Amino acid sequence: MTDLILASASPRRRELMKQAGLECRIIPAVGEEKAEADDPALLVEELSFQKAREVFEKVTGRQMIAPTRLPAYNGEAGDNITDGFSYFGSGPVVIGADTVVSYNHKVMGKPVDKDNAREMIDSIQGGEHEVFTGVTFIWPDEGCDKYVTFHELTRVMVYPMSSSMIEDYISGEEPYDKAGAYGIQGSFAINIKGINGDYNNVVGLPVSRLYRSLDIYGLI
């Protein structure tokens, strides 16, 4: 059985892995990630790679060796990127992920305080925003290390919210550990008008595409 390691402390990502039948160990990345990208798609890819790399090097006790980037599952039926590829290694497969909300070209991570949470919710209420999650998984193979990095985009529409509704929401604990200051799977669900894309991507992990990407490389 492949040794899957999730480089995240998020209980939501852990639950999504469990729902997909992907048994994994939890070893959160603890380093401070720094990314240069301004584009949210490139930003989350870069941050997910940093998280996965940190934990991969921690558990293997070495730096990555000649890393080779390979393509992710692209959503096409019968995708044969690897055609017959099987993984027989004994090393770990480390999965990192990072999620941000983007509205009007402004990237939102987790709010730093109540005022920041209020600003975020006020900006997205009554309109449409985008949620980007970047995913990277790394594994050792034949004297080198291989990795896959991709991002998933979901558009989210939010009903208009009054000031009192916003105040009620940010007075609870829910907003403060989530990108964009809300959780679609929590009490904020009453404000969601609709989505275009993968719901689980908004929760924090596009697990269906991750599953298929792991599968085509023989990692599950």
Side-chain angles (χ1 to χ4, degrees), residues 14-36:
R14 182 186 310 184
E15 183 61 28
L16 286 171
M17 293 283 287
K18 183 179 180 181
Q19 288 177 10
L22 297 173
E23 295 296 329
C24 63
R25 294 192 285 150
I26 307 297
I27 304 179
V30 296
E32 182 179 355
E33 299 89 17
K34 296 181 180 179
E36 298 180 358

Short mmCIF file of all heavy atoms in Angstrom, two decimals, residues 14-36:
data_model
loop_
_atom_site.label_atom_id
_atom_site.label_comp_id
_atom_site.label_asym_id
_atom_site.label_seq_id
_atom_site.Cartn_x
_atom_site.Cartn_y
_atom_site.Cartn_z
N ARG A 14 -8.58 16.47 5.32
CA ARG A 14 -8.47 15.10 5.83
C ARG A 14 -9.76 14.33 5.58
O ARG A 14 -9.74 13.17 5.17
CB ARG A 14 -8.15 15.13 7.32
CG ARG A 14 -7.96 13.76 7.95
CD ARG A 14 -7.80 13.84 9.45
NE ARG A 14 -6.79 14.81 9.86
CZ ARG A 14 -6.42 15.01 11.12
NH1 ARG A 14 -6.98 14.30 12.10
NH2 ARG A 14 -5.51 15.90 11.42
N GLU A 15 -10.91 14.98 5.82
CA GLU A 15 -12.19 14.31 5.62
C GLU A 15 -12.43 14.01 4.14
O GLU A 15 -12.98 12.95 3.80
CB GLU A 15 -13.32 15.19 6.17
CG GLU A 15 -14.70 14.57 6.09
CD GLU A 15 -14.84 13.28 6.86
OE1 GLU A 15 -14.11 13.10 7.86
OE2 GLU A 15 -15.68 12.45 6.47
N LEU A 16 -12.05 14.92 3.26
CA LEU A 16 -12.21 14.68 1.83
C LEU A 16 -11.35 13.50 1.37
O LEU A 16 -11.78 12.70 0.53
CB LEU A 16 -11.86 15.94 1.03
CG LEU A 16 -12.89 17.07 1.10
CD1 LEU A 16 -12.35 18.34 0.47
CD2 LEU A 16 -14.19 16.66 0.41
N MET A 17 -10.13 13.40 1.90
CA MET A 17 -9.28 12.26 1.58
C MET A 17 -9.95 10.97 2.04
O MET A 17 -9.98 9.96 1.32
CB MET A 17 -7.92 12.41 2.24
CG MET A 17 -7.07 13.55 1.70
SD MET A 17 -6.31 13.17 0.10
CE MET A 17 -5.03 12.01 0.61
N LYS A 18 -10.51 11.00 3.23
CA LYS A 18 -11.17 9.82 3.79
C LYS A 18 -12.38 9.42 2.95
O LYS A 18 -12.60 8.24 2.67
CB LYS A 18 -11.58 10.09 5.24
CG LYS A 18 -12.22 8.91 5.94
CD LYS A 18 -12.57 9.27 7.39
CE LYS A 18 -13.22 8.10 8.09
NZ LYS A 18 -13.58 8.44 9.51
N GLN A 19 -13.16 10.41 2.54
CA GLN A 19 -14.34 10.13 1.72
C GLN A 19 -13.95 9.48 0.40
O GLN A 19 -14.69 8.65 -0.14
CB GLN A 19 -15.10 11.43 1.44
CG GLN A 19 -15.84 11.99 2.65
CD GLN A 19 -16.51 13.31 2.35
OE1 GLN A 19 -16.58 13.73 1.19
NE2 GLN A 19 -17.00 13.96 3.38
N ALA A 20 -12.78 9.84 -0.12
CA ALA A 20 -12.32 9.28 -1.39
C ALA A 20 -11.65 7.92 -1.21
O ALA A 20 -11.23 7.31 -2.20
CB ALA A 20 -11.34 10.24 -2.05
N GLY A 21 -11.58 7.44 0.02
CA GLY A 21 -10.93 6.16 0.28
C GLY A 21 -9.43 6.23 0.25
O GLY A 21 -8.74 5.21 0.08
N LEU A 22 -8.87 7.44 0.42
CA LEU A 22 -7.43 7.64 0.40
C LEU A 22 -6.91 7.72 1.84
O LEU A 22 -6.93 8.79 2.46
CB LEU A 22 -7.08 8.92 -0.37
CG LEU A 22 -7.47 8.93 -1.85
CD1 LEU A 22 -7.22 10.30 -2.46
CD2 LEU A 22 -6.70 7.85 -2.61
N GLU A 23 -6.51 6.58 2.37
CA GLU A 23 -5.97 6.55 3.73
C GLU A 23 -4.60 7.24 3.73
O GLU A 23 -3.74 6.95 2.90
CB GLU A 23 -5.83 5.12 4.21
CG GLU A 23 -7.16 4.39 4.36
CD GLU A 23 -8.03 5.02 5.44
OE1 GLU A 23 -7.47 5.57 6.43
OE2 GLU A 23 -9.26 4.97 5.31
N CYS A 24 -4.41 8.15 4.67
CA CYS A 24 -3.16 8.91 4.67
C CYS A 24 -2.73 9.25 6.09
O CYS A 24 -3.54 9.27 7.01
CB CYS A 24 -3.31 10.20 3.85
SG CYS A 24 -4.53 11.36 4.51
N ARG A 25 -1.44 9.50 6.22
CA ARG A 25 -0.90 10.06 7.45
C ARG A 25 -0.96 11.59 7.35
O ARG A 25 -0.91 12.15 6.26
CB ARG A 25 0.56 9.63 7.66
CG ARG A 25 0.72 8.14 7.91
CD ARG A 25 2.15 7.86 8.39
NE ARG A 25 3.13 7.94 7.32
CZ ARG A 25 4.41 8.31 7.48
NH1 ARG A 25 4.83 8.69 8.69
NH2 ARG A 25 5.25 8.31 6.47
N ILE A 26 -1.04 12.24 8.49
CA ILE A 26 -1.08 13.70 8.54
C ILE A 26 0.23 14.21 9.12
O ILE A 26 0.54 13.95 10.28
CB ILE A 26 -2.27 14.21 9.39
CG1 ILE A 26 -3.58 13.59 8.90
CG2 ILE A 26 -2.32 15.73 9.34
CD1 ILE A 26 -3.97 13.94 7.50
N ILE A 27 0.99 14.92 8.30
CA ILE A 27 2.21 15.59 8.76
C ILE A 27 2.16 17.01 8.21
O ILE A 27 2.57 17.26 7.07
CB ILE A 27 3.49 14.87 8.30
CG1 ILE A 27 3.48 13.41 8.74
CG2 ILE A 27 4.73 15.60 8.84
CD1 ILE A 27 4.71 12.62 8.30
N PRO A 28 1.64 17.96 8.96
CA PRO A 28 1.45 19.31 8.43
C PRO A 28 2.76 20.01 8.12
O PRO A 28 3.75 19.87 8.85
CB PRO A 28 0.71 20.03 9.56
CG PRO A 28 0.14 18.95 10.42
CD PRO A 28 1.11 17.82 10.32
N ALA A 29 2.77 20.77 7.04
CA ALA A 29 3.88 21.68 6.77
C ALA A 29 3.79 22.82 7.77
O ALA A 29 2.71 23.34 8.03
CB ALA A 29 3.80 22.20 5.35
N VAL A 30 4.92 23.21 8.33
CA VAL A 30 4.92 24.25 9.35
C VAL A 30 5.74 25.46 8.96
O VAL A 30 5.73 26.48 9.64
CB VAL A 30 5.44 23.69 10.70
CG1 VAL A 30 4.50 22.63 11.23
CG2 VAL A 30 6.85 23.14 10.57
N GLY A 31 6.48 25.36 7.86
CA GLY A 31 7.31 26.47 7.42
C GLY A 31 6.47 27.61 6.87
O GLY A 31 5.31 27.45 6.50
N GLU A 32 7.08 28.79 6.81
CA GLU A 32 6.41 29.96 6.27
C GLU A 32 6.64 30.00 4.76
O GLU A 32 7.76 30.20 4.30
CB GLU A 32 6.93 31.24 6.91
CG GLU A 32 6.23 32.50 6.41
CD GLU A 32 6.74 33.75 7.09
OE1 GLU A 32 7.56 33.64 8.01
OE2 GLU A 32 6.33 34.85 6.68
N GLU A 33 5.57 29.77 3.99
CA GLU A 33 5.71 29.75 2.55
C GLU A 33 5.79 31.18 2.01
O GLU A 33 5.11 32.08 2.48
CB GLU A 33 4.53 29.03 1.89
CG GLU A 33 4.37 27.58 2.30
CD GLU A 33 3.51 27.41 3.53
OE1 GLU A 33 2.78 28.37 3.88
OE2 GLU A 33 3.57 26.36 4.16
N LYS A 34 6.63 31.35 1.00
CA LYS A 34 6.76 32.64 0.33
C LYS A 34 6.65 32.42 -1.17
O LYS A 34 7.40 31.61 -1.72
CB LYS A 34 8.09 33.30 0.69
CG LYS A 34 8.23 33.65 2.16
CD LYS A 34 9.56 34.31 2.46
CE LYS A 34 9.69 34.67 3.93
NZ LYS A 34 11.00 35.31 4.24
N ALA A 35 5.74 33.11 -1.79
CA ALA A 35 5.54 32.96 -3.22
C ALA A 35 5.68 34.32 -3.90
O ALA A 35 5.29 35.35 -3.34
CB ALA A 35 4.17 32.35 -3.52
N GLU A 36 6.21 34.31 -5.09
CA GLU A 36 6.41 35.55 -5.85
C GLU A 36 5.28 35.81 -6.83
O GLU A 36 5.10 36.94 -7.29
CB GLU A 36 7.73 35.49 -6.61
CG GLU A 36 8.95 35.36 -5.70
CD GLU A 36 10.25 35.29 -6.47
OE1 GLU A 36 10.19 35.30 -7.72
OE2 GLU A 36 11.32 35.26 -5.84
#
